[in-house]
């Protein structure tokens, strides 16, 4: 993470920022976030990120009246400039700092705190991305399905588990055994020259880069098809690639040591960077 952050519209050293300990954010993780790519000093796909923040805030009860999105965008641009980011990533987090209704204080005061941080691109071996199958299942019926909430401990535990086994990422399944996504990214696969991605009702997050790629591949003569599949079908795929704000487009070299091709993912990756640099 870079040295300075933006907190409620002010640029501060990261060490100077704190949240109220007795708050819904601290006690229960009531908060939402989005991670976006920064290319050439500009936030990528801002409109999609703003839309998701608005929708997620409504789902988890985060009030946005104190946090106008025009001011959030301006603060983000200021932070990018202060931290001198050309290509990297930024995270916008909205925390509910109201006191908890369970541990209720005499005055239930608080506001929506807006924290923005920046960093370099996500550190994953892009030339040798190794996947495995995560034992951590996704509950597709959860009220937080499709929400990027601050309740991210399951994802962190899943990623640490995969890394301990010398894998970079892992495929997560839902309670029915259907393929949902990678741990920190959306997942696509290629079979018989066709491109597929898990259907949203599997429990998958409709990532901003996922949406962008679905439109981009049409220019290459493909159509992304959403599909519900079990693990066995993914294991017969010719190619697999991941997408996220931090990764961009990243072909997988292997799934549980089964070597994969990367012909079509490499074309998509090239088209993705051409669209950014064009």
């Amino acid at each position: 993470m870079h040295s300075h952050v933006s907190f409620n519209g002010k640029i501060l050293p990261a060490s100077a920022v704190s949240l109220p300990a007795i708050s819904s954010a601290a006690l229960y993780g009531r908060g939402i976030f989005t991670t976006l790519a920064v290319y050439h000093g500009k936030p990528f796909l801002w409109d999609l990120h703003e839309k998701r923040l608005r929708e997620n805030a409504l789902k988890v009860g985060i009030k946005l009246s104190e946090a106008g999105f025009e001011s959030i965008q301006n603060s983000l641009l200021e932070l990018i400039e202060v931290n001198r980011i050309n290509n990297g990533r930024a995270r916008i987090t909205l925390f509910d700092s109201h006191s908890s209704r369970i541990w209720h204080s005499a005055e239930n005061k608080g506001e929506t705190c807006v924290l923005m941080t920046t960093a370099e691109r996500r550190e994953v071996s892009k030339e040798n991305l190794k996947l495995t199958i995560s034992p951590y299942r996704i509950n597709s019926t959860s009220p937080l399905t499709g929400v990027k909430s601050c309740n991210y401990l399951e994802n962190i535990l899943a990623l640490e588990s995969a890394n301990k086994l010398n894998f970079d990422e892992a495929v997560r399944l839902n309670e029915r055994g259907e393929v949902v996504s990678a741990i920190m990214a959306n997942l696509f696969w290629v079979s018989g020259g066709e491109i597929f991605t898990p259907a949203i009702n599997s429990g998958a997050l409709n990532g901003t880069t996922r949406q962008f790629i679905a439109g981009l591949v049409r220019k290459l003569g493909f159509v992304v098809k959403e599909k519900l599949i079990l693990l066995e079908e993914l294991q017969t795929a010719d190619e697999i690639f991941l997408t996220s704000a931090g990764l961009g487009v990243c072909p997988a070299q292997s799934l549980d040591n089964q070597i994969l091709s990367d012909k079509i993912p490499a074309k998509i990756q090239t088209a993705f960077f051409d669209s950014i640099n064009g």
Side-chain angles (χ1 to χ4, degrees):
M1 188 174 75
H2 295 140
S3 59
H4 285 80
V5 303
S6 174
F7 188 65
N8 292 338
K10 296 180 180 180
I11 302 296
L12 300 167
S15 59
V17 174
S18 61
L19 288 169
I22 307 300
S23 67
S24 290
L27 293 175
Y28 310 113
R30 187 186 290 267
I32 58 171
F33 75 97
T34 192
T35 302
L36 52 89
V38 177
Y39 295 118
H40 307 297
K42 302 294 182 183
F44 185 58
L45 302 177
W46 168 255
D47 289 347
L48 291 178
H49 286 281
E50 178 182 334
K51 180 175 182 290
R52 182 166 68 194
L53 282 172
R54 289 183 184 276
E55 292 173 347
N56 287 184
L58 183 62
K59 285 185 178 180
V60 303
I62 297 287
K63 295 182 180 180
L64 296 176
S65 57
E66 303 102 334
F69 277 94
E70 183 176 353
S71 64
I72 289 175
Q73 185 178 20
N74 290 337
S75 295
L76 175 60
L77 293 172
E78 182 183 9
L79 182 63
I80 289 171
E81 183 176 355
V82 168
N83 283 336
R84 299 180 180 179
I85 305 168
N86 184 35
N87 295 316
R89 56 188 165 131
R91 170 171 163 150
I92 302 171
T93 309
L94 306 183
F95 293 106
D96 182 0
S97 65
H98 290 83
S99 60
S100 160
R101 294 179 181 176
I102 298 174
W103 295 95
H104 188 69
S105 64
E107 296 184 355
N108 189 26
K109 293 182 178 180
E111 61 180 5
T112 298
C113 294
V114 183
L115 173 67
M116 301 184 206
T117 57
T118 60
E120 302 303 315
R121 301 290 300 280
R122 185 179 164 199
E123 294 182 4
V124 171
S125 177
K126 294 184 179 182
E127 303 301 322
N128 188 27
L129 180 70
K130 297 187 295 183
L131 293 175
T132 187
I133 309 303
S134 175
Y136 292 82
R137 296 290 181 106
I138 290 175
N139 178 8
S140 67
T141 67
S142 167
L144 293 179
T145 297
V147 174
K148 294 201 76 167
S149 82
C150 293
N151 294 275
Y152 235 56
L153 184 56
E154 276 193 10
N155 299 66
I156 298 302
L157 292 175
L159 188 61
E160 290 175 349
S161 175
N163 291 164
K164 286 178 182 178
L165 297 173
N166 295 318
F167 291 98
D168 302 294
E169 257 279 11
V171 175
R172 295 189 71 186
L173 311 176
N174 65 19
E175 75 281 4
R176 299 183 298 271
E178 297 163 344
V179 174
V180 178
S181 65
I183 299 167
M184 308 290 278
N186 283 115
L187 180 145
F188 293 78
W189 71 95
V190 181
S191 291
E194 294 187 302
I195 302 174
F196 301 91
T197 193
I200 293 300
N201 61 358
S202 69
L205 178 75
N206 191 15
T208 56
T209 307
R210 176 186 187 270
Q211 295 175 57
F212 182 80
I213 292 302
L216 180 66
V217 297
R218 294 189 185 96
K219 299 178 182 178
L220 300 176
F222 298 99
V223 175
V224 174
K225 299 179 181 179
E226 292 194 3
K227 190 176 182 182
L228 290 173
I229 65 164
L230 298 177
L231 177 60
E232 291 76 13
E233 184 169 340
L234 184 68
Q235 290 172 324
T236 65
D238 302 315
E239 300 166 315
I240 297 173
F241 62 98
L242 308 184
T243 66
S244 72
L247 290 173
V249 178
C250 190
Q253 188 207 49
S254 62
L255 174 61
D256 276 339
N257 301 315
Q258 175 186 339
I259 301 301
L260 300 163
S261 173
D262 69 349
K263 185 177 180 180
I264 291 177
K267 287 182 179 180
I268 296 171
Q269 186 180 53
T270 298
F272 178 74
F273 286 115
D274 286 347
S275 70
I276 293 167
N277 298 320

